[in-house]
Amino acid sequence: MSEQPHVEIYTKTDCPYCEKAKDLFDAKGVEYVTYNVTGDPETFAEMKERANGRETAPEVFIDDELIGGWDDTHELDQTGELDEKLGIEDGGEVAGDVEEHRKLIITGTGIAALTAAIYAARSNNDPLLFEGDEPGGQLTLTTDVENYPGFPEGISGPDLINNMKEQAERFGAELNHGVVENVDDSERPFRVELANGDVYTADSVIAASGASARTLGIPGEDELMGYGVSTCATCDGAFFRGEDMVVVGGGDAAAEEASFLTKFADTVYLVHRRDELRAEDYWQERVQEHVDEGDMEVLWNTEATEVHGSPEDGVESVSLVRNPAGHPSEKLDDAETESFDLDVGAFFVAIGHTPNTGYLEGTDVELDDEGYIVTQGGTGGGQTATGVPGLFGAGDVVDYHYQQAVTAAGMGCKAALDCDAWLETEADLAESEPASGEAPADD
């Protein structure tokens, strides 16, 4: 590395994306200076001025050049531009050369991936994990986790993930910031290609890259994620007991989460952009029961346009637009729509998940219509095996139903055990085969 540039990171307290930014530079061995803007108006004003008026964190600067937030920094890292700005040499390696061979590569560093890594490392299977686009998975966006067994007082999502990382690394697992772009299962060992062009080979692969919750992309949503905005009602609903809450969506997930939240909310407002739910009859009936009981109200033909609040005070209100004549997103005259604000203490988005399986397209791994991995399932060993020998699936990339941290951990454990059994079988077969040019031994 040439003379290191000056790296500055403006951060906030309890900011998972700030931790991801710091982890990225730590992994590169790059020193940096941090400025925490929480409770410091002068530093916050300085950050805002340098970041062209932006009020979110992290904000990264290299030699006084604005790099941007986590998404901007991560994108530059994947294209290699970040290393260029940092003066990191590529070592003169030829693109496509194999960096390293491993017994096991795991895609993801969420609960399922880290649990698999712990078990795999203890079995001496030398796991290498690639974090992907969302290091630590969705749990890093959850402020507090109170339903994970073993923590009677609860634990923050980032703390739980960091503890599991340390545990996996203690047993010998290795974590890498790379994003897997393609897995080639046409030959053995598997060929795993990263977005930055690096190539690894592996005897086995555990796909535990999770599913990303879909969001609306409206102002305030990202800034307040984990501070009253959530994509998991069962994870966070109890924190807002007695508050009015909004749930956005019209499918099974939205109806189920809205029904669940009536246990805690004063009133749940189910916001749906059409005039009828897409949920199955059972959930539509449950919603109607809650409406009749007075603890839920459905806002038909309505869309959320902005979430208001702050990390310090949480969600305070939501701006909505209603079009009595139909879908508000369609091109309409302003006179046909009604805009209004709703005072609420929590905002839940339940418009589905997208499994992170793009890197498996083109393989022989079976994916369902939504892109989730189809595994063997059933009882007994091999439940996490896919149709490709040596390739296993675990966590939310497989499970579209439960999507809980504890079930992801259980599936990660199963995948590591299934993988270990497969590797042992392959090793036994290799030992039993005669060497090249030799005849089998007589009985």
mmCIF file of all heavy atoms in Angstrom, residues 103 125 188 190 202-205 385 388-392 415-429:
data_model
loop_
_atom_site.group_PDB
_atom_site.id
_atom_site.type_symbol
_atom_site.label_atom_id
_atom_site.label_comp_id
_atom_site.label_asym_id
_atom_site.label_seq_id
_atom_site.Cartn_x
_atom_site.Cartn_y
_atom_site.Cartn_z
ATOM 1 N N LYS A 103 -12.369 -25.984 1.769
ATOM 2 C CA LYS A 103 -13.292 -27.112 1.882
ATOM 3 C C LYS A 103 -14.729 -26.631 1.817
ATOM 4 O O LYS A 103 -15.610 -27.310 1.279
ATOM 5 C CB LYS A 103 -13.062 -27.865 3.196
ATOM 6 C CG LYS A 103 -11.779 -28.658 3.248
ATOM 7 C CD LYS A 103 -11.611 -29.369 4.570
ATOM 8 C CE LYS A 103 -12.609 -30.520 4.732
ATOM 9 N NZ LYS A 103 -12.359 -31.283 5.976
ATOM 10 N N ASN A 125 -13.763 -27.930 9.078
ATOM 11 C CA ASN A 125 -14.069 -27.799 7.654
ATOM 12 C C ASN A 125 -13.664 -26.449 7.071
ATOM 13 O O ASN A 125 -14.044 -26.109 5.956
ATOM 14 C CB ASN A 125 -15.564 -28.073 7.403
ATOM 15 C CG ASN A 125 -15.881 -29.551 7.491
ATOM 16 O OD1 ASN A 125 -15.032 -30.393 7.179
ATOM 17 N ND2 ASN A 125 -17.083 -29.889 7.944
ATOM 18 N N ARG A 188 -16.152 -29.735 -10.604
ATOM 19 C CA ARG A 188 -15.740 -29.824 -9.208
ATOM 20 C C ARG A 188 -14.240 -29.616 -9.137
ATOM 21 O O ARG A 188 -13.509 -30.137 -9.971
ATOM 22 C CB ARG A 188 -16.136 -31.179 -8.605
ATOM 23 C CG ARG A 188 -17.632 -31.421 -8.532
ATOM 24 C CD ARG A 188 -18.322 -30.429 -7.566
ATOM 25 N NE ARG A 188 -19.738 -30.743 -7.418
ATOM 26 C CZ ARG A 188 -20.685 -30.330 -8.239
ATOM 27 N NH1 ARG A 188 -20.350 -29.588 -9.286
ATOM 28 N NH2 ARG A 188 -21.938 -30.658 -8.029
ATOM 29 N N PHE A 190 -16.380 -26.567 -6.841
ATOM 30 C CA PHE A 190 -17.199 -25.431 -7.238
ATOM 31 C C PHE A 190 -16.292 -24.223 -7.493
ATOM 32 O O PHE A 190 -15.294 -24.005 -6.805
ATOM 33 C CB PHE A 190 -18.193 -25.064 -6.131
ATOM 34 C CG PHE A 190 -19.240 -26.102 -5.878
ATOM 35 C CD1 PHE A 190 -19.164 -26.915 -4.751
ATOM 36 C CD2 PHE A 190 -20.305 -26.260 -6.742
ATOM 37 C CE1 PHE A 190 -20.131 -27.867 -4.493
ATOM 38 C CE2 PHE A 190 -21.285 -27.221 -6.497
ATOM 39 C CZ PHE A 190 -21.195 -28.027 -5.372
ATOM 40 N N ALA A 202 -14.159 -24.350 -4.066
ATOM 41 C CA ALA A 202 -14.594 -24.963 -2.814
ATOM 42 C C ALA A 202 -15.140 -26.353 -3.082
ATOM 43 O O ALA A 202 -15.779 -26.597 -4.106
ATOM 44 C CB ALA A 202 -15.666 -24.110 -2.147
ATOM 45 N N ASP A 203 -14.873 -27.253 -2.124
ATOM 46 C CA ASP A 203 -15.444 -28.593 -2.212
ATOM 47 C C ASP A 203 -16.942 -28.574 -1.960
ATOM 48 O O ASP A 203 -17.676 -29.420 -2.473
ATOM 49 C CB ASP A 203 -14.772 -29.516 -1.191
ATOM 50 C CG ASP A 203 -13.294 -29.711 -1.476
ATOM 51 O OD1 ASP A 203 -12.929 -29.767 -2.666
ATOM 52 O OD2 ASP A 203 -12.510 -29.797 -0.519
ATOM 53 N N SER A 204 -17.397 -27.625 -1.136
ATOM 54 C CA SER A 204 -18.823 -27.542 -0.791
ATOM 55 C C SER A 204 -19.205 -26.085 -0.566
ATOM 56 O O SER A 204 -18.353 -25.230 -0.315
ATOM 57 C CB SER A 204 -19.109 -28.354 0.482
ATOM 58 O OG SER A 204 -18.320 -27.876 1.565
ATOM 59 N N VAL A 205 -20.492 -25.819 -0.680
ATOM 60 C CA VAL A 205 -21.020 -24.462 -0.518
ATOM 61 C C VAL A 205 -22.302 -24.526 0.308
ATOM 62 O O VAL A 205 -23.161 -25.391 0.071
ATOM 63 C CB VAL A 205 -21.331 -23.804 -1.877
ATOM 64 C CG1 VAL A 205 -22.054 -22.469 -1.685
ATOM 65 C CG2 VAL A 205 -20.059 -23.611 -2.693
ATOM 66 N N ALA A 385 -29.963 -30.286 1.996
ATOM 67 C CA ALA A 385 -29.305 -30.545 0.715
ATOM 68 C C ALA A 385 -30.163 -30.039 -0.439
ATOM 69 O O ALA A 385 -31.391 -30.134 -0.423
ATOM 70 C CB ALA A 385 -29.045 -32.038 0.555
ATOM 71 N N VAL A 388 -28.071 -30.256 -6.012
ATOM 72 C CA VAL A 388 -26.670 -30.282 -6.436
ATOM 73 C C VAL A 388 -25.836 -30.853 -5.296
ATOM 74 O O VAL A 388 -25.745 -30.239 -4.229
ATOM 75 C CB VAL A 388 -26.171 -28.865 -6.788
ATOM 76 C CG1 VAL A 388 -24.682 -28.883 -7.118
ATOM 77 C CG2 VAL A 388 -26.966 -28.302 -7.958
ATOM 78 N N PRO A 389 -25.240 -32.017 -5.452
ATOM 79 C CA PRO A 389 -24.436 -32.606 -4.383
ATOM 80 C C PRO A 389 -23.341 -31.645 -3.912
ATOM 81 O O PRO A 389 -22.601 -31.084 -4.728
ATOM 82 C CB PRO A 389 -23.836 -33.857 -5.024
ATOM 83 C CG PRO A 389 -24.792 -34.207 -6.122
ATOM 84 C CD PRO A 389 -25.287 -32.895 -6.643
ATOM 85 N N GLY A 390 -23.272 -31.441 -2.598
ATOM 86 C CA GLY A 390 -22.262 -30.556 -2.035
ATOM 87 C C GLY A 390 -22.717 -29.131 -1.855
ATOM 88 O O GLY A 390 -21.978 -28.311 -1.297
ATOM 89 N N LEU A 391 -23.917 -28.809 -2.306
ATOM 90 C CA LEU A 391 -24.444 -27.448 -2.152
ATOM 91 C C LEU A 391 -25.691 -27.504 -1.286
ATOM 92 O O LEU A 391 -26.644 -28.220 -1.592
ATOM 93 C CB LEU A 391 -24.742 -26.827 -3.515
ATOM 94 C CG LEU A 391 -24.732 -25.302 -3.569
ATOM 95 C CD1 LEU A 391 -24.475 -24.806 -4.988
ATOM 96 C CD2 LEU A 391 -26.020 -24.699 -3.041
ATOM 97 N N PHE A 392 -25.677 -26.719 -0.196
ATOM 98 C CA PHE A 392 -26.738 -26.763 0.814
ATOM 99 C C PHE A 392 -27.344 -25.368 0.991
ATOM 100 O O PHE A 392 -26.721 -24.354 0.667
ATOM 101 C CB PHE A 392 -26.171 -27.267 2.144
ATOM 102 C CG PHE A 392 -25.493 -28.611 2.026
ATOM 103 C CD1 PHE A 392 -24.168 -28.703 1.607
ATOM 104 C CD2 PHE A 392 -26.186 -29.777 2.310
ATOM 105 C CE1 PHE A 392 -23.548 -29.940 1.469
ATOM 106 C CE2 PHE A 392 -25.575 -31.015 2.177
ATOM 107 C CZ PHE A 392 -24.252 -31.095 1.753
ATOM 108 N N ALA A 415 -27.440 -27.370 8.207
ATOM 109 C CA ALA A 415 -26.668 -27.306 6.967
ATOM 110 C C ALA A 415 -25.214 -27.682 7.210
ATOM 111 O O ALA A 415 -24.607 -28.408 6.407
ATOM 112 C CB ALA A 415 -26.757 -25.905 6.361
ATOM 113 N N ALA A 416 -24.635 -27.199 8.328
ATOM 114 C CA ALA A 416 -23.241 -27.532 8.628
ATOM 115 C C ALA A 416 -23.076 -29.024 8.887
ATOM 116 O O ALA A 416 -22.101 -29.640 8.437
ATOM 117 C CB ALA A 416 -22.765 -26.729 9.828
ATOM 118 N N LEU A 417 -24.028 -29.609 9.610
ATOM 119 C CA LEU A 417 -23.963 -31.044 9.894
ATOM 120 C C LEU A 417 -24.164 -31.868 8.621
ATOM 121 O O LEU A 417 -23.464 -32.869 8.387
ATOM 122 C CB LEU A 417 -24.995 -31.420 10.948
ATOM 123 C CG LEU A 417 -24.799 -30.804 12.336
ATOM 124 C CD1 LEU A 417 -25.953 -31.185 13.259
ATOM 125 C CD2 LEU A 417 -23.474 -31.236 12.940
ATOM 126 N N ASP A 418 -25.125 -31.456 7.790
ATOM 127 C CA ASP A 418 -25.345 -32.150 6.518
ATOM 128 C C ASP A 418 -24.110 -32.051 5.627
ATOM 129 O O ASP A 418 -23.704 -33.026 4.981
ATOM 130 C CB ASP A 418 -26.555 -31.554 5.787
ATOM 131 C CG ASP A 418 -27.878 -31.889 6.461
ATOM 132 O OD1 ASP A 418 -27.898 -32.813 7.288
ATOM 133 O OD2 ASP A 418 -28.881 -31.226 6.151
ATOM 134 N N CYS A 419 -23.517 -30.864 5.593
ATOM 135 C CA CYS A 419 -22.331 -30.646 4.773
ATOM 136 C C CYS A 419 -21.165 -31.493 5.275
ATOM 137 O O CYS A 419 -20.440 -32.108 4.474
ATOM 138 C CB CYS A 419 -21.961 -29.164 4.789
ATOM 139 S SG CYS A 419 -20.531 -28.752 3.782
ATOM 140 N N ASP A 420 -20.977 -31.543 6.598
ATOM 141 C CA ASP A 420 -19.887 -32.328 7.172
ATOM 142 C C ASP A 420 -20.043 -33.813 6.816
ATOM 143 O O ASP A 420 -19.069 -34.478 6.450
ATOM 144 C CB ASP A 420 -19.855 -32.147 8.688
ATOM 145 C CG ASP A 420 -18.702 -32.890 9.334
ATOM 146 O OD1 ASP A 420 -17.543 -32.609 8.973
ATOM 147 O OD2 ASP A 420 -18.960 -33.758 10.194
ATOM 148 N N ALA A 421 -21.276 -34.317 6.917
ATOM 149 C CA ALA A 421 -21.515 -35.720 6.576
ATOM 150 C C ALA A 421 -21.217 -35.972 5.105
ATOM 151 O O ALA A 421 -20.640 -37.013 4.739
ATOM 152 C CB ALA A 421 -22.971 -36.093 6.902
ATOM 153 N N TRP A 422 -21.591 -35.023 4.242
ATOM 154 C CA TRP A 422 -21.335 -35.178 2.813
ATOM 155 C C TRP A 422 -19.834 -35.166 2.527
ATOM 156 O O TRP A 422 -19.327 -35.985 1.748
ATOM 157 C CB TRP A 422 -22.036 -34.070 2.037
ATOM 158 C CG TRP A 422 -21.887 -34.200 0.544
ATOM 159 C CD1 TRP A 422 -22.633 -34.961 -0.309
ATOM 160 C CD2 TRP A 422 -20.885 -33.567 -0.270
ATOM 161 N NE1 TRP A 422 -22.171 -34.838 -1.598
ATOM 162 C CE2 TRP A 422 -21.100 -33.989 -1.603
ATOM 163 C CE3 TRP A 422 -19.841 -32.688 0.006
ATOM 164 C CZ2 TRP A 422 -20.312 -33.556 -2.652
ATOM 165 C CZ3 TRP A 422 -19.044 -32.258 -1.046
ATOM 166 C CH2 TRP A 422 -19.278 -32.684 -2.356
ATOM 167 N N LEU A 423 -19.115 -34.239 3.155
ATOM 168 C CA LEU A 423 -17.669 -34.165 2.945
ATOM 169 C C LEU A 423 -16.975 -35.441 3.408
ATOM 170 O O LEU A 423 -16.041 -35.928 2.760
ATOM 171 C CB LEU A 423 -17.090 -32.959 3.689
ATOM 172 C CG LEU A 423 -17.393 -31.584 3.082
ATOM 173 C CD1 LEU A 423 -17.003 -30.475 4.057
ATOM 174 C CD2 LEU A 423 -16.668 -31.409 1.754
ATOM 175 N N GLU A 424 -17.426 -35.999 4.539
ATOM 176 C CA GLU A 424 -16.832 -37.241 5.026
ATOM 177 C C GLU A 424 -17.099 -38.397 4.067
ATOM 178 O O GLU A 424 -16.219 -39.222 3.807
ATOM 179 C CB GLU A 424 -17.380 -37.570 6.418
ATOM 180 C CG GLU A 424 -16.849 -36.667 7.523
ATOM 181 C CD GLU A 424 -17.275 -37.137 8.897
ATOM 182 O OE1 GLU A 424 -17.979 -38.163 8.980
ATOM 183 O OE2 GLU A 424 -16.902 -36.479 9.885
ATOM 184 N N THR A 425 -18.309 -38.444 3.531
ATOM 185 C CA THR A 425 -18.647 -39.491 2.561
ATOM 186 C C THR A 425 -17.776 -39.372 1.314
ATOM 187 O O THR A 425 -17.259 -40.371 0.793
ATOM 188 C CB THR A 425 -20.130 -39.414 2.172
ATOM 189 O OG1 THR A 425 -20.940 -39.597 3.336
ATOM 190 C CG2 THR A 425 -20.483 -40.478 1.145
ATOM 191 N N GLU A 426 -17.597 -38.133 0.838
ATOM 192 C CA GLU A 426 -16.764 -37.924 -0.342
ATOM 193 C C GLU A 426 -15.317 -38.322 -0.065
ATOM 194 O O GLU A 426 -14.639 -38.900 -0.919
ATOM 195 C CB GLU A 426 -16.833 -36.451 -0.770
ATOM 196 C CG GLU A 426 -18.169 -36.035 -1.351
ATOM 197 C CD GLU A 426 -18.497 -36.780 -2.627
ATOM 198 O OE1 GLU A 426 -17.747 -36.609 -3.619
ATOM 199 O OE2 GLU A 426 -19.487 -37.541 -2.646
ATOM 200 N N ALA A 427 -14.835 -38.003 1.137
ATOM 201 C CA ALA A 427 -13.467 -38.369 1.491
ATOM 202 C C ALA A 427 -13.304 -39.883 1.560
ATOM 203 O O ALA A 427 -12.294 -40.438 1.104
ATOM 204 C CB ALA A 427 -13.089 -37.735 2.832
ATOM 205 N N ASP A 428 -14.302 -40.561 2.123
ATOM 206 C CA ASP A 428 -14.247 -42.026 2.199
ATOM 207 C C ASP A 428 -14.240 -42.647 0.810
ATOM 208 O O ASP A 428 -13.505 -43.618 0.540
ATOM 209 C CB ASP A 428 -15.443 -42.559 3.003
ATOM 210 C CG ASP A 428 -15.349 -42.223 4.484
ATOM 211 O OD1 ASP A 428 -14.232 -41.875 4.933
ATOM 212 O OD2 ASP A 428 -16.384 -42.288 5.175
ATOM 213 N N LEU A 429 -15.060 -42.083 -0.092
ATOM 214 C CA LEU A 429 -15.101 -42.604 -1.449
ATOM 215 C C LEU A 429 -13.765 -42.410 -2.152
ATOM 216 O O LEU A 429 -13.286 -43.285 -2.875
ATOM 217 C CB LEU A 429 -16.214 -41.916 -2.246
ATOM 218 C CG LEU A 429 -17.651 -42.290 -1.876
ATOM 219 C CD1 LEU A 429 -18.635 -41.403 -2.631
ATOM 220 C CD2 LEU A 429 -17.918 -43.772 -2.184
#
